[in-house]
Amino acid sequence: MRLSIVVPCYNEEAVLPETVKRLAELLERLSSQGRIDADSHALLVDDGSKDRTWTLIEECSAQSKWIRGIKLSRNRGHQNALLAGLFHADGDAMVSVDADLQDDLEAIAQMVDAHLAGMDVVYGVRRRRETDTFFKRASAEGYYKLLARMGVEIVFNHADYRLLSRRAVSALREYGESNFFLRGIIPQLGFPSATVYYDRAERFAGESKYPLSKMLAFAWQGITSFSAAPLRMITGLGLLISLGSFAISAWALWVKLFSDHAVPGWASTVVPIYLLGGVQLLCVGIIGEYLAKIYLETKQRPRYFIEKTAGEPQRPQ
Ligand code: UDP
Ligand code: MG
C-alpha cells in the first residue's frame, strides 16, 4: 500500500525542518515494518508562501526520498491547498495533516492499520481540547452543535486530519463546488469509516494562519454550503413579527373603540420602525449571502494552479 501524506504549508519556514524530519522518520519506520510501500511519501503543498517555505521544500525533497513538493501559483487557502495535494498525490491512501505538528503524527500508524483493515475514511478525532483557549473550546462546541441542528452531518472534534482511500478521493472529485468545506462533504461520501483518537498539542513554532476573522468566514462558509436553514429562519422570523404586529394592531383598535383614551405615543411608532428596518436589512443580508454564493459558484473558476513540483518521479507525458 502506497501512502501519501498531504501537508498544506503557508509561511511555515519556522516549523518545516522539524515537520519534515518527523514525517521522514515515520515513513521510514512504517515502511521498514512492511505496513506501507517504499515509494510512499509526504507531499508538501506550498500554498503561495511569502517566506522560504518553497526553498526548504525543494532542499528537503532533494535530500530525502520520502519528501515531495508542489507549489501553488499563489495563496488559495487551506482547503484548496489540501485539495491540490489530494488530487495530485497518487497514493493508495492519503492522509492530510497540518504542517505545524499540532496533530500527533503517531495517529497515522493507526490510520494506516484501519485502512488495511478495509476502511476508506479514517477520522482523526481529538480526545480532549484542553490545549485550546476557553473561547475556542466554547465556540467550537457551539458551532458543531449548531451545524448538527441545521442538519449538517459532521464528526465532532474532527478537523482536517484524516485518511482517505484512493476511492474516496476519486469520489471527492465528483463534487463540483469551488468553495469546498471538506469536513461537511467527507461524511456524505458514505464509504466504510473508522475513528482514531489523538491528543492535540500546541503549535510547534510559528503563528496560526487562522485569525478570528478567517475562522468566522470559514464557519459561515460551512453553514451556507450545507444548509438553507438561515433562509428558513427568515421566514419564521417574518411570520413571528407579522403575528406580533397583528396582535398589537388589534389591541390599538380595541383601545380606540372601547375606551376614552388613545394609545399614547412616540415610542410605539418610532421603535417598531427602527426595529423592523434592522430586521429587514439583516434578512436581506442573509439572502444576499446565498445570492453571492450562487454568483461565485456559477462562475466555476478553477481552484488552484500548480506552478512547480519537487522530488517527483518523472511522469510519462
Ligand atoms: N494553511 C494554508 N493556507 C492558508 C492558511 C493555512 O495552507 O492560507 C495551512 C497552514 O500552513 C497549516 C494549516 O493550514 O499547515 C492549518 O493552519 P494553522 O495551523 O495556522 O491553523 P490553526 O491550527 O491555528 O487553526
Ligand atoms: Mg494549527
Side-chain angles (χ1 to χ4, degrees):
M1 194 268 289
R2 177 166 60 218
L3 178 70
S4 302
I5 303 179
V6 173
V7 191
C9 310
Y10 179 55
N11 294 345
E12 297 287 9
E13 62 178 5
V15 294
L16 217 53
E18 181 68 21
T19 308
V20 164
K21 190 174 134 245
R22 293 204 203 169
L23 284 170
E25 277 167 13
L26 178 80
L27 287 163
E28 181 86 54
R29 199 177 77 224
L30 290 178
S31 136
S32 68
Q33 292 167 344
R35 282 147 106 180
I36 58 173
D37 289 353
D39 58 350
S40 299
H41 53 269
L43 179 67
L44 308 184
V45 183
D46 175 15
D47 185 18
S49 300
K50 291 172 185 69
D51 64 359
R52 294 183 59 246
T53 298
W54 179 246
T55 319
L56 287 174
I57 294 176
E58 275 185 322
E59 281 170 18
C60 296
S61 64
Q63 282 159 17
S64 165
K65 71 160 188 151
W66 300 114
I67 306 299
R68 298 180 188 177
I70 56 176
K71 176 175 161 47
L72 303 190
S73 61
R74 55 158 295 168
N75 182 244
R76 299 295 298 149
H78 179 214
Q79 298 287 294
N80 284 320
L82 244 174
L83 279 184
L86 290 175
F87 291 164
H88 185 83
D90 57 355
D92 299 310
M94 302 172 217
V95 170
S96 49
V97 64
D98 289 353
D100 57 6
L101 295 173
Q102 280 190 288
D103 305 322
D104 181 12
L105 293 182
E106 288 308 313
I108 293 179
Q110 287 165 265
M111 290 182 184
V112 165
D113 290 345
H115 173 68
L116 292 174
M119 297 298 154
D120 284 277
V121 180
V122 187
Y123 299 101
V125 170
R126 298 171 63 169
R127 206 174 278 132
R128 286 183 295 271
R129 297 192 70 110
E130 67 222 350
T131 51
D132 283 348
T133 59
F134 172 75
F135 172 73
K136 183 130 186 201
R137 258 198 328 250
S139 57
E141 167 126 14
Y143 182 62
Y144 282 121
K145 285 202 176 131
L146 182 71
L147 279 181
R149 280 195 68 133
M150 289 180 169
V152 186
E153 229 181 295
I154 197 140
V155 179
F156 274 51
N157 288 335
H158 159 71
D160 283 308
Y161 189 21
R162 69 174 83 79
L163 178 143
L164 294 172
S165 65
R166 191 200 296 245
R167 180 162 77 154
V169 174
S170 307
L172 215 52
R173 282 178 197 265
E174 311 266 321
Y175 285 77
E177 58 238 75
S178 35
N179 276 305
F180 247 73
F181 186 69
L182 274 162
R183 263 166 248 195
I185 293 177
I186 306 279
Q188 292 190 350
L189 298 178
F191 290 122
S193 68
T195 302
V196 159
Y197 292 92
Y198 72 99
D199 287 315
R200 191 171 164 118
E202 303 276 356
R203 190 173 235 287
F204 185 77
E207 279 169 10
S208 170
K209 311 298 179 296
Y210 267 98
L212 186 63
S213 56
K214 258 201 206 175
M215 194 86 94
L216 286 176
F218 185 59
W220 180 240
Q221 165 96 35
I223 293 175
T224 54
S225 291
F226 285 89
S227 169
L231 292 174
R232 305 225 168 81
M233 279 192 274
I234 296 180
T235 319
L237 190 67
L239 210 64
L240 207 71
I241 293 179
S242 310
L243 285 176
S245 11
F246 190 70
I248 294 174
S249 326
W251 172 69
L253 199 65
W254 189 84
V255 171
K256 170 87 178 150
L257 293 180
F258 300 107
S259 73
D260 33 356
H261 60 272
V263 178
W266 184 84
S268 60
T269 323
V270 171
V271 172
I273 290 178
Y274 284 111
L275 179 77
L276 281 182
V279 169
Q280 276 169 357
L281 277 187
L282 181 78
C283 297
V284 172
I286 295 180
I287 298 173
E289 287 283 335
Y290 280 89
L291 191 68
K293 188 132 214 171
I294 297 171
Y295 166 64
L296 292 174
E297 288 293 341
T298 48
K299 289 194 283 194
Q300 296 268 315
R301 292 197 171 163
R303 303 186 187 109
Y304 55 82
F305 295 110
I306 296 175
E307 186 184 313
K308 286 182 209 166
T309 62
E312 298 260 305
Q314 289 300 309
R315 293 186 185 205
Q317 290 294 309

